[in-house]
Amino acid sequence: MSRFRSSDILALATESMRVHRLRTGLTLAAIAIGVTAVLLLTALGEAAKRYVVREFADIGSNLVIVLPGHVETTGAAPTIGGAVRDLTIDDAEAVQRQAPAVRLVAPLSFASGTFSYGGRNRTVYVAGTTPSFETVRNVHVASGTFLDQRDPRRGEGVVVIGRRIQREVFRGENPLGKAVRLSQWRLRVVGVMEERGHSLGMDFDDVAIVPVATGLRVFNQSSLFRILVQARDPASVPQAVEQVRAILKERHDGEEDFTILTQDAMLATFGSIIEALTAALAGIAAISLAVAGIGIMNVMLVSVSERTTEVGLLKALGGRRRQIESIFLAEAVLLSGMGAAIGVGAGLLLTGVAAWFWPALPLQASIGWIAAVLVLALASGGVFGLLPARRAARLAAADALQGRR
Amino acid sequence: MLIHLEHVVRDYRVGDSIVHALHDVTLSIDRGAFVALMGPSGSGKSTLLNVLGCLDTPTSGAYVLDGQPVQSLSEDALAEIRQKRIGFIFQAYHLVPRMTAERNVELPLILSGVEPSERRERIGRALDLVGLARRREHRPDQLSGGERQRVAIARAMVTEPSLLLADEPTGNLDSKAGGEIVALLERLHEAGLTIVLVTHDPSVASHAERVISLRDGKIARDAPPETPNLPLGEATP
């Protein structure tokens, strides 16, 4: 019984690949492009999903939001109808004092106004709040200090500005300690926020943060825009909601003329977006995997089919079916393995470059998809390389020699 | 006796009809014989050669090669017989274009698992036999038609077969190169090799000891050539 050496199989396979440079190159390119496409598309999908999820994480943790006016469903902006009592700083303080499941409360007023300094004007969002806001909304100052005054009823004339306001209005000048005007009121800049971008529909880079009493006074408002409540931990969110509801209801003469939103409720509202993204991601990956697989199949079918005569010759020379199959299998696996390796390399390089140019949406090829696409490439290369070789090896040797299929 | 065929039938199914490529062929060929198979296209001579070479199996009848009945052997057993006892040469040479002469000759040794250390010597001997020792590094496209066929003969002989089957070995060659191939086959025959060759060319057939003419899948004539050893290209009418 003769033995077929693996070194011989390998030599025969690489010989054929080396000589048919164009065919080998095209095959490698087809496989590599398929693999790279899968990696890039899945990386893009994953990055989009991560981006959305991170947006929600940025909102702050264990957040409960109280807004004036009552709506039955959560997630939509409340329609205000009838007599609605104001949400006041007193309400916020009562919640802070009386609700044991609540860690921090940040009252929030909101308006837009004209911010002026040195003859330059800019329309900005103005958020009035307390020092708790920094923790509750997970925002931080880059320089200077945040609001530091503990008594929310004292409206000091200070302002913390977003990065864009600093850039556009101060133009490289140090804004700290500068006197500015906000809709005719004089304020002193005490801090500049870290760059943050949009979150929950608010552009933090274009916002001016003032003490809540100042915010209400500047815009002549009586009601808070929101009361932001941070529960002690995720488990105590439901308790906090009930306590907040009870306290405010009591203060509002037994009427529930306010709406309480939780982060969970918001996540549920936006959950469908994430689900759709996940489904789209799976679809994109499936399509690109299928395309890559079909590309490999075509190349293999063509390259093996045109070598039917060679199969016939090997049979005439006494080659056994298994020997012939193993030569073609080795070649197919070598080709698809090399192609897949090139594709993974290119995919990693491209995602790396993309992540460097576009840090906001960091692309990252996931290990899972790399493994999946490697397995797919090897399997489809092997199967579609072996099938035509097997078909050829089963032909009568005389027919194969004539190139008849 | 090396070859014995007994009532061999080979039918092909083409669509709904059946083609009788070989129809009750009974035939013996002695060890060391040089036999030419002739006949018009479709007479069954190539089918007969394929049956003799274990590339094709009879539909019915018996084939005994070197004392061993082969008509009912498994595919792998037939492959082993082709590997050990039979050498093939073809009209189109069937050299692997990407491989050097040496590597083409090595192929049968690779398939039969001969030690690499032993291969070099055997390849050298086979290429010497056909007078191409100096062309061992050449690829087929760097060789003339006659040289290619000689490489193919070296490849057939490297396993030291007892039977050489040649399918129109001079069909693609001019008469000079064809004459050299026939001369080479005659030398191999004189050294004891059994040769069966298929040809259209009576001048090639005239070098055999025995000419079997086939017609419609049957043996029409089986006799020594009428005029032996004609120079190639000079066929008698």
Side-chain angles (χ1 to χ4, degrees), chain A residues 281-291 369:
Chain A
L281 170 59
I284 287 169
I287 291 170
S288 30
L289 281 179
V291 168
W369 285 115

Side-chain angles (χ1 to χ4, degrees), chain A residues 102-180:
Chain A
V102 167
R103 191 157 83 96
L104 276 176
V105 174
L108 182 66
S109 76
F110 195 72
S112 78
T114 308
F115 185 95
S116 325
Y117 173 77
R120 284 185 289 273
N121 295 325
R122 183 173 178 82
T123 303
V124 300
Y125 300 113
V126 182
T129 189
T130 61
S132 309
F133 187 78
E134 194 176 8
T135 313
V136 173
R137 284 305 312 274
N138 196 22
V139 293
H140 305 284
V141 288
S143 60
T145 55
F146 197 69
L147 305 176
D148 59 358
Q149 183 206 0
R150 292 289 150 188
D151 180 0
R153 264 173 294 268
R154 273 191 56 198
E156 262 193 341
V158 295
V159 61
V160 177
I161 58 174
R163 274 312 264 272
R164 193 171 304 123
I165 301 176
Q166 185 206 350
R167 268 200 308 273
E168 302 287 331
V169 178
F170 289 93
R171 311 216 170 149
E173 212 180 314
N174 182 2
L176 293 181
K178 295 287 183 324
V180 300

Side-chain angles (χ1 to χ4, degrees), chain A residues 1-5 8 11-12 15-16 19-20 307 309-310 313-321 323 327 393 396-398 401, chain B residues 50 55-56 75-76 79-80 82-83 88 90 93-96 98-99 103 106-108 110-116 119 155 167:
Chain A
M1 185 61 204
S2 57
R3 213 163 60 83
F4 199 26
R5 297 156 177 286
D8 281 329
L12 288 171
E15 217 165 44
S16 150
V19 172
H20 299 109
R307 285 158 72 187
T309 327
E310 199 178 313
L313 172 73
L314 290 173
K315 290 197 88 168
L317 296 180
R320 287 175 185 76
R321 206 186 265 180
Q323 290 182 313
I327 294 172
L401 264 177
Chain B
N50 287 336
L55 287 176
D56 202 348
E75 216 191 279
D76 278 355
E80 178 122 10
R82 290 197 293 270
Q83 196 176 82
F88 287 95
F90 309 95
Y93 325 125
H94 288 314
L95 298 178
V96 182
R98 60 176 178 273
M99 295 181 177
R103 193 90 172 114
E106 190 181 1
L107 262 183
I110 290 174
L111 292 170
S112 56
V114 172
E115 294 288 328
R119 290 181 204 164
R155 180 179 65 193
D167 192 356

